Amino acid sequence: MPVFRVCLRILQKNLPVISIYFVIFIAISIVMTVVMGPAETGGFSREKIDLAFFAGEETPLVAGLRKALAAQVNFVPLTDETEKLQEALFYRKVHYILRVPDGFTASFLRGGGPLLLQRTSIPDSASALYIDLRIDRYLEILRLYVNTLPELELQEQVAFALDDLSLETVVMLAAPEREPGAGGRLQFYFNFLAYTILFVIILGMSSVFLTFNGLDLKRRNLCSPLGARAISLQCYLACAAFALASWLLLVLISLLFGFREIAGPAAWFYILNALVFAACAAGLAYLIGNLTRNGEVVNAAANIVALGSSFLGGVFVPQELLGENVLKIASFTPTYWYVRANAAVAALTDFNLQTLSDYFAALVVQTGFALAFVIIALVVVKRRQTAS
Amino acid sequence: MFKHIFKYRLKILLYDKSTMFWTLLFPILLATLFHMAFSRLGAEETFRAIDTAVVDSGKDEDFISLVKSLSAGEERLFNLHLTSKEEALALLAAGKVQGIIETGEKMALTVNRPGLEQSILKTFVNNYAQTASAANRIAAQRPEAHAMLPALLAEDAVFLEERPISRAEPDNMLILYFSLLAMTCLLGGYVGMTEVNAIQANLSGQAARINFAPAHKLKMFLSGISAALVLQFAKLLLFLAYMVFVLSIDFGERAGLIAAALFLCALLGISFGAFVTSLVKGGEGLKVGILLTVSVAGAHLAGMSYAGLKYMIETAVPPLAFINPASLITDTFYALYYFDTYGRFIENTVWLAAFTAVFAGATYFVIRRRKYASL
Amino acid sequence: MIIKAANIVKRYGELLALDHLNLELKEGEILGLLGPNGSGKTTAINCILALLTYEKGEISIFGKPMSPEAYELKQDIGVVMQNVAVFNELTVLENIDYFCGLYVRDAQKRKQLVREAVDFVGLNEFKKFYPKKLSGGLLRRLNIACGIAHKPKLIILDEPTVAVDPQSRNNILEGILELNRQGASVLYTSHYMEEVERICSRIIILDKGRVIAAGTKEALKEMITLGEKITVEVNALDEAQLGALKKLPTLLSVSLSDSRLVIKSLKGKNNLENILALLKEQKISYGKIYSELPTLNDVFLEITGKELRD
């Protein structure tokens, strides 16, 4: 298989560049997975958030507010100067600044008035939202007591409210053997893998096609006794080998994060999904490599396709947070279906053909994409050949 | 001579398609994509009803009627499955529901995994339990007061108000766009690369030709770099204008200082590209690869795909944040946007200048050589 | 003396690229630097132009030492390189103007020079074209125009005709002769001996970085023993006939292959006549018969034992 061997040589020649991409993207995915993975998903054992508390008055109500928050926040002492506070928020030393104005208690007891608690927080931060909810709960329940049992001391009303607030529903995990924190980590890593796979495979494989589609080389190949189909086939085999190797490497690295989960069935479904996706990326690379003879264009395409479909398909931003229209557009990319398949697996504890139907449907769609890319590429190749 | 070279370098750069793509078209494309993907982020309309199973023990009719009322209509909170415990567990295992709520003396919530929807379920159940506890206590103490409760609960009391302590909100979303701008500045390295290629005789034939000419090499290089800088600055302003006026992204009010910072960043990007081109031994593909990867990966680490990452890296791996020029650029624009004072901004610009000086200095030591061991 | 290079030694790592090269270009001449690919022609030029470092030797141009900062020397040098080096983003006219502008600051004067250069290489119709639209031959002409627009006194051309069609090649060679007539001294490198023979007044033959011969083409041909090469189309020859041929008085060598009898003779009179007489005597019937004078290839072959063109 001479063509196959030459293809591998070309890949080898391009290895310095390809390995730069590999190293950097793997590094990013590791950083992201380690830093973000658990924090994104830890809905129940939420870490305490850093909060600066400034009280303009000390009343039983304020003392109660401190107690109500104690379970969820770390009180960070800060100097009450605008610049210091700005800086603290800027560097995320605190995520939340809460200020009780003087006279708030009296205003509250009168039935709510012009004086409100003042908050400064980082918008769109989930942790800040939970603090908001907690404060609202405390004051809402306290308000019930103030209105219905006015004869009681404020101190007693606060004690009742705190007692009610201490009621926390026990949340049970249906499959306790699954590590709750790490569960999202593997999924996160595999989602991010879509970006790396698309990028590296398009760039790596296209280098082969670009060389082979160089006009004179192509002519020479076409004149050889091998036949165009045999050349294409061997070329494609080499690329498939490259895609397979990339996939294997990335999967092996997933063991770093997932060694606790890898024993579970979910990991195998992630890995299978990644393989199908790699085939998709290979098809796409084949198409791009055949559409252009320009290395710059390939580079551009790899960046746009990888970044674009990752953003829209839910690799960086969870699909739940994306708008309907965006998702509709995204569903025309294999990335969207890849992420969906991962999500379908993540939702399961019981794996059987029925529960996995969503997952397999997503795999089928991806396979369709892979085939479509290759078929379009073949049509393009055919056209070119007959045209020139 | 300066004018002559300046004029022609400007035209060459302007007509260079790949440079134009990476330094202008690519960022605009990405910004548009960002805008599409993120504009809905946090918007209410994206909320989707949560698939929930409720196991009715028959002990809490209030709760059942409450969830039923919340499960009807277009803007419902739940897609409700009222079932037996076994069936609910089966639904959960198959991923058809996000959680199971069991009513009774003590309510219980069972979920498959942590997540956003699961958290909402938990908050909902907690709220109900806490309110119920208060209502029971009130009923026990003063039965007649119980009648006041529905009205009180229906009132939408507000206790909190947002008090910005700065001219601008500390907005995570902006980090994404700022880091995209940082990436664009660094991709300006492409222009720096073109300029070095045009003056180093071992990199291109055109450069060899320039080396035969009776003019000082560094002077010619500076003319070329000036053209590159002017063009790059113009492109960055254009990109900024696109984000501000077309995508309506708020970059703050300090237009003059933003432009000044952008000029510095243009210089940093160009010198970064010149640095990579003159120091890295290898083909053009390798150089482009390094340039692109550092820019794109740096921007990711500076928060381009997830804003929180920037802060996590700053606290967890400070050296990584420090050597990442994308992070510095992002921080500069953010400081300008956010702080009332200029301390942080000035500190950042000093670092920007220092980075530029290092890149330019290293480039100078390679460029000043006029004879080569081989071509 | 326009160029004087003395004892230049240049190494690329282990490889000795120039081995004590000596080269002189006198005013008004066209000096040909002839040698096979890899013989060190381009390296020699790049050393002369102070683009490459070299281990040993001295180079002076117009009588002054050459260095990267020798601007007053560079002002009068024009270089046309082997590879086309123009900007794809600039038109034909702009390219010439750009490179000319590195030498000539006066815009008015430059305009005139650029116009003359365009005329000279015959690109008038293509002034507004971008290089990508030009054919290979036209591109070569543009490449030349970029190097000579500023009317240099010394023109160095490094294989300007590689991969050029015969028509364009002719144009280029005529152009070089014209430049020379206008007063430029020319250093011309090529591995095409016909070109060198045609235009060069003096020739230096280079092999493995060494000068193996130098002089006018006539002098070079005088250097070798071969005087004449006579080819005879014959049928078969027997041993006796061949033996008789080998006894020819001025014979250098005789070989027979594919019914072609090649007889190489020393310089001398009546070579052809002697052979014809011998053929008749031996009753060898023959078809065509022709005689050639030695070429530079023969010179190269005799000195190095290998063909100039591989």
Side-chain angles (χ1 to χ4, degrees):
Chain A
M1 293 220 290
V3 180
F4 182 79
R5 246 177 292 134
V6 169
C7 287
L8 290 188
R9 274 292 295 159
I10 297 170
L11 278 170
Q12 203 188 330
K13 263 234 150 322
N14 285 296
L15 213 56
V17 183
I18 296 172
S19 50
I20 289 181
Y21 290 129
F22 255 122
V23 169
I24 300 241
F25 282 105
I26 287 172
I28 294 185
S29 66
I30 290 176
V31 169
M32 287 219 179
T33 310
V34 168
V35 177
M36 293 174 55
E40 274 277 292
T41 53
F44 302 113
S45 48
R46 183 164 289 281
E47 272 179 49
K48 288 187 171 187
I49 90 156
D50 297 317
L51 176 141
F53 193 99
F54 297 106
E57 59 178 12
E58 285 301 336
T59 63
L61 181 145
V62 175
L65 181 58
R66 278 211 184 83
K67 276 186 201 143
L69 288 174
Q72 293 183 357
V73 307
N74 293 320
F75 290 105
V76 177
L78 278 186
T79 324
D80 192 0
E81 283 167 32
T82 310
E83 206 180 322
K84 287 260 156 38
L85 296 181
Q86 281 185 354
E87 210 175 270
L89 265 186
F90 186 80
Y91 289 114
R92 307 301 197 259
K93 272 183 199 143
V94 296
H95 286 77
Y96 203 110
I97 298 171
L98 183 62
R99 191 183 294 279
V100 184
D102 189 15
F104 175 77
T105 308
S107 153
F108 177 81
L109 291 176
R110 272 198 307 277
L115 273 181
L116 297 177
L117 295 179
Q118 296 158 6
R119 80 198 260 273
T120 311
S121 69
I122 294 150
D124 307 316
S125 130
S127 33
L129 187 73
Y130 280 92
I131 303 302
D132 287 353
L133 284 175
R134 186 77 179 171
I135 296 170
D136 276 340
R137 286 310 292 159
Y138 167 68
L139 291 176
E140 219 161 87
I141 289 183
L142 185 59
R143 198 172 64 106
L144 292 183
Y145 288 116
V146 169
N147 278 294
T148 54
L149 306 173
E151 66 280 8
L152 294 183
E153 289 288 318
L154 179 57
Q155 209 143 4
E156 216 169 338
Q157 291 166 337
V158 166
F160 281 160
L162 287 176
D163 184 47
D164 293 335
L165 275 191
S166 69
L167 272 179
E168 283 272 327
T169 308
V170 189
V171 180
M172 287 169 291
L173 282 172
E177 72 272 13
R178 277 197 359 167
E179 192 78 19
R185 228 181 221 193
L186 200 58
Q187 187 195 353
F188 185 85
Y189 176 81
F190 271 96
N191 275 349
F192 192 85
L193 195 130
Y195 180 44
T196 317
I197 273 194
L198 267 179
F199 199 81
V200 172
I201 289 185
I202 291 177
L203 276 184
M205 288 182 51
S206 300
S207 66
V208 172
F209 293 123
L210 281 183
T211 314
F212 262 79
N213 286 340
L215 201 55
D216 288 339
L217 197 60
K218 194 170 190 170
R219 280 198 201 124
R220 184 177 291 166
N221 280 328
L222 287 175
C223 295
S224 77
L226 258 177
R229 192 171 302 164
I231 291 170
S232 290
L233 191 70
Q234 291 192 23
C235 205
Y236 196 76
L237 271 180
C239 290
F242 172 69
L244 212 64
S246 310
W247 167 79
L248 202 66
L249 177 67
L250 291 168
V251 164
L252 282 177
I253 289 166
S254 78
L255 296 176
L256 276 180
F257 312 100
F259 59 93
R260 263 186 255 160
E261 289 176 70
I262 212 82
W268 296 108
F269 288 107
Y270 288 140
I271 291 172
L272 175 64
N273 190 23
L275 180 63
V276 175
F277 187 73
C280 250
L284 193 57
Y286 185 51
L287 175 60
I288 293 172
N290 276 311
L291 277 177
T292 177
R293 294 204 187 103
N294 185 337
E296 288 272 348
V297 174
V298 168
N299 215 331
N303 266 289
I304 291 176
V305 167
L307 267 174
S309 74
S310 297
F311 266 112
L312 297 181
V315 170
F316 300 135
V317 184
Q319 285 187 350
E320 300 91 72
L321 296 181
L322 292 169
E324 291 286 349
N325 291 335
V326 174
L327 288 181
K328 257 180 214 146
I329 297 171
S331 65
F332 289 101
T333 69
T335 316
Y336 169 84
W337 295 98
Y338 171 74
V339 172
R340 246 181 90 127
N342 282 342
V345 172
L348 292 181
T349 46
D350 178 21
F351 294 88
N352 60 49
L353 274 182
Q354 209 172 3
T355 56
L356 282 166
S357 61
D358 279 355
Y359 169 80
F360 284 116
L363 282 199
V364 169
V365 176
Q366 288 182 68
T367 316
F369 270 111
L371 286 176
F373 289 141
V374 174
I375 290 168
I376 296 169
L378 288 176
V379 171
V380 170
V381 172
K382 194 95 192 164
R383 274 238 176 113
R384 277 248 169 99
Q385 267 171 19
T386 45
S388 54
Chain B
M1 178 68 78
F2 179 87
K3 217 179 93 193
H4 178 76
I5 294 180
F6 184 88
K7 182 181 94 184
Y8 277 117
R9 289 306 309 169
L10 205 59
K11 175 162 185 201
I12 289 166
L13 290 172
L14 212 54
Y15 276 59
D16 182 348
K17 284 193 200 104
S18 64
T19 305
M20 279 313 244
F21 173 81
W22 288 112
T23 52
L24 190 62
L25 208 61
F26 182 58
I28 286 181
L29 260 169
L30 275 190
T32 313
L33 267 175
F34 272 36
H35 191 65
M36 277 170 66
F38 293 129
S39 56
R40 295 296 196 83
L41 209 64
E44 305 258 344
E45 54 200 300
T46 60
F47 184 80
R48 264 155 258 168
I50 304 170
D51 298 304
T52 312
V54 173
V55 179
D56 186 2
S57 64
K59 287 176 190 159
D60 197 341
E61 280 165 35
D62 290 346
F63 183 77
I64 300 296
S65 59
L66 177 66
V67 284
K68 273 186 179 161
S69 71
L70 290 173
S71 306
E74 262 306 289
E75 298 197 352
R76 61 189 184 276
L77 186 57
F78 303 117
N79 289 327
L80 184 64
H81 300 261
L82 261 178
T83 58
S84 66
K85 174 104 190 222
E86 291 70 36
E87 207 174 319
L89 281 173
L91 284 172
L92 187 66
K96 300 277 184 219
V97 296
Q98 308 294 341
I100 306 168
I101 302 173
E102 290 172 72
T103 61
E105 286 299 313
K106 212 158 161 51
M107 300 180 66
L109 176 65
T110 310
V111 296
N112 250 351
R113 59 182 174 136
L116 186 69
E117 289 162 325
Q118 288 78 356
S119 298
I120 295 173
L121 280 182
K122 184 193 174 195
T123 309
F124 174 76
V125 174
N126 271 345
N127 282 4
Y128 179 81
Q130 290 159 2
T131 314
S133 154
N136 287 341
R137 200 192 308 267
I138 291 166
Q141 298 242 342
R142 252 181 82 193
E144 69 275 19
H146 196 260
M148 296 164 70
L149 286 176
L152 277 173
L153 286 172
E155 249 177 67
D156 210 3
V158 177
F159 306 110
L160 278 169
E161 65 175 338
E162 182 70 32
R163 264 299 167 90
I165 53 160
S166 143
R167 45 192 286 125
E169 296 289 310
D171 188 344
N172 271 342
M173 195 62 67
L174 277 175
I175 296 282
L176 302 170
Y177 290 101
F178 287 164
S179 55
L180 181 61
L181 186 61
M183 185 187 80
T184 312
C185 292
L186 290 182
L187 284 175
Y190 241 83
V191 184
M193 183 171 87
T194 314
E195 285 311 313
V196 171
N197 279 341
I199 200 78
Q200 282 297 80
N202 54 348
L203 297 180
S204 76
Q206 292 90 327
R209 201 163 237 170
I210 284 167
N211 276 267
F212 299 146
H216 198 277
K217 185 179 170 192
L218 277 174
K219 279 186 193 156
M220 292 193 281
F221 182 61
L222 282 180
S223 321
I225 283 291
S226 307
L229 185 60
V230 166
L231 186 67
Q232 189 54 20
F233 183 50
K235 281 187 285 188
L236 286 175
L237 285 178
L238 194 67
F239 178 52
L240 185 72
Y242 177 77
M243 289 204 283
V244 171
F245 298 112
V246 180
L247 304 182
S248 317
I249 291 147
D250 178 15
F251 270 75
E253 318 271 277
R254 293 162 165 160
L257 283 175
I258 291 177
L262 213 51
F263 187 79
L264 249 180
C265 294
L267 201 54
L268 172 67
I270 291 172
S271 61
F272 166 65
F275 172 77
V276 169
T277 314
S278 49
L279 261 80
V280 172
K281 295 245 177 338
E284 179 139 343
L286 185 69
K287 290 174 186 178
V288 170
I290 291 175
L291 217 63
L292 266 178
T293 319
V294 172
S295 310
V296 176
H300 274 303
L301 295 179
M304 190 169 76
S305 45
Y306 175 68
L309 196 59
K310 177 173 187 288
Y311 298 98
M312 290 171 186
I313 289 172
E314 271 168 19
T315 39
V317 213
L320 183 59
F322 180 76
I323 60 158
N324 181 4
S327 190
L328 178 63
I329 297 174
T330 306
D331 210 59
T332 306
F333 286 104
Y334 192 47
L336 199 52
Y337 163 83
Y338 173 74
F339 281 116
D340 295 329
T341 51
Y342 293 99
R344 177 73 182 168
F345 172 69
I346 290 166
E347 193 190 323
N348 277 339
T349 45
V350 168
W351 279 116
L352 281 178
F355 264 103
T356 309
V358 169
F359 289 147
T363 307
Y364 168 75
F365 275 103
V366 178
I367 297 270
R368 69 175 181 153
R369 196 180 51 197
R370 312 213 44 186
K371 274 186 163 183
Y372 302 85
S374 66
L375 289 179
Chain C
M1 199 63 64
I2 304 295
I3 299 177
K4 185 172 168 57
N7 284 317
I8 307 301
V9 176
K10 167 72 188 169
R11 285 173 190 282
Y12 292 121
E14 289 291 291
L15 181 80
L16 190 55
L18 294 180
D19 183 3
H20 294 87
L21 176 87
N22 286 295
L23 182 154
E24 286 183 359
L25 172 66
K26 300 189 188 81
E27 185 156 6
E29 73 175 350
I30 301 181
L31 177 65
L33 205 51
L34 181 69
N37 287 326
S39 58
K41 300 186 299 286
T42 302
T43 300
I45 285 181
N46 284 331
C47 284
I48 289 169
L49 288 167
L51 205 55
L52 278 177
T53 56
Y54 42 87
E55 277 70 32
K56 226 179 100 182
E58 268 154 42
I59 290 169
S60 64
I61 295 181
F62 305 129
K64 290 179 185 149
M66 180 62 180
S67 77
E69 290 81 22
Y71 299 139
E72 77 278 20
L73 303 183
K74 286 180 163 188
Q75 180 67 44
D76 288 321
I77 305 174
V79 184
V80 176
M81 278 173 306
Q82 199 169 351
N83 300 316
V84 173
V86 296
F87 289 105
N88 283 326
E89 295 86 358
L90 299 181
T91 63
V92 165
L93 204 65
E94 286 170 333
N95 260 303
I96 302 173
D97 185 52
Y98 175 69
F99 288 112
C100 186
L102 300 176
Y103 296 82
V104 181
R105 286 162 199 234
D106 181 348
Q108 216 48 44
K109 194 173 159 203
R110 190 166 73 229
K111 213 170 165 188
Q112 177 65 26
L113 286 171
V114 171
R115 201 177 306 137
E116 284 174 25
V118 171
D119 281 339
F120 182 74
V121 294
L123 283 174
N124 239 322
E125 296 165 57
F126 306 98
K127 272 190 289 199
K128 300 266 186 245
F129 277 50
Y130 284 91
K132 278 199 170 160
K133 303 266 180 207
L134 296 182
S135 69
L138 294 182
L139 210 51
R140 286 275 162 191
R141 291 200 224 165
L142 171 60
N143 196 39
I144 293 172
C146 289
I148 54 120
H150 59 285
K151 297 245 159 107
K153 289 186 195 139
L154 164 63
I155 300 175
I156 298 178
L157 300 108
D158 189 5
E159 310 224 16
T161 58
V162 170
V164 170
D165 60 284
Q167 172 86 41
S168 294
R169 174 175 302 188
N170 221 16
N171 273 333
I172 291 170
L173 294 179
E174 283 305 319
I176 292 167
L177 286 171
E178 175 59 31
L179 286 169
N180 180 244
R181 276 196 290 275
Q182 288 172 10
S185 310
V186 177
L187 177 60
Y188 183 88
T189 82
S190 179
H191 63 270
Y192 296 123
M193 56 180 181
E194 305 87 349
E195 286 183 359
V196 174
E197 272 192 61
R198 181 170 150 193
I199 65 167
C200 296
S201 34
R202 217 156 52 80
I203 297 160
I204 290 178
I205 300 181
L206 220 54
D207 184 47
K208 294 178 178 163
R210 277 180 305 120
V211 176
I212 56 169
T216 61
K217 60 188 168 203
E218 292 79 14
L220 285 174
K221 288 172 188 174
E222 282 301 316
M223 286 169 61
I224 57 171
T225 50
L226 177 69
E228 197 173 0
K229 194 162 74 178
I230 295 164
T231 310
V232 188
E233 275 182 18
V234 295
N235 292 323
L237 289 183
D238 57 35
E239 281 303 313
Q241 289 169 324
L242 218 60
L245 279 170
K246 283 180 181 160
K247 290 194 181 101
L248 274 167
T250 54
L251 182 83
L252 205 57
S253 72
V254 58
S255 63
L256 174 69
S257 68
D258 290 343
S259 309
R260 284 157 64 90
L261 184 68
V262 178
I263 304 159
K264 290 184 177 176
S265 305
L266 295 170
K267 293 178 191 82
K269 288 183 177 166
N270 310 328
N271 280 336
L272 184 59
E273 197 181 331
N274 291 342
I275 289 171
L276 286 173
L278 186 73
L279 291 175
K280 196 167 184 184
E281 180 194 314
Q282 293 290 327
K283 298 200 175 68
I284 301 171
S285 59
Y286 55 87
K288 285 177 194 147
I289 183 161
Y290 50 93
S291 165
E292 295 164 281
L293 287 173
T295 62
L296 289 175
N297 189 39
D298 295 314
V299 176
F300 192 80
L301 181 65
E302 197 168 317
I303 298 175
T304 66
K306 62 188 181 193
E307 298 271 337
L308 188 56
R309 261 182 275 174
D310 28 58

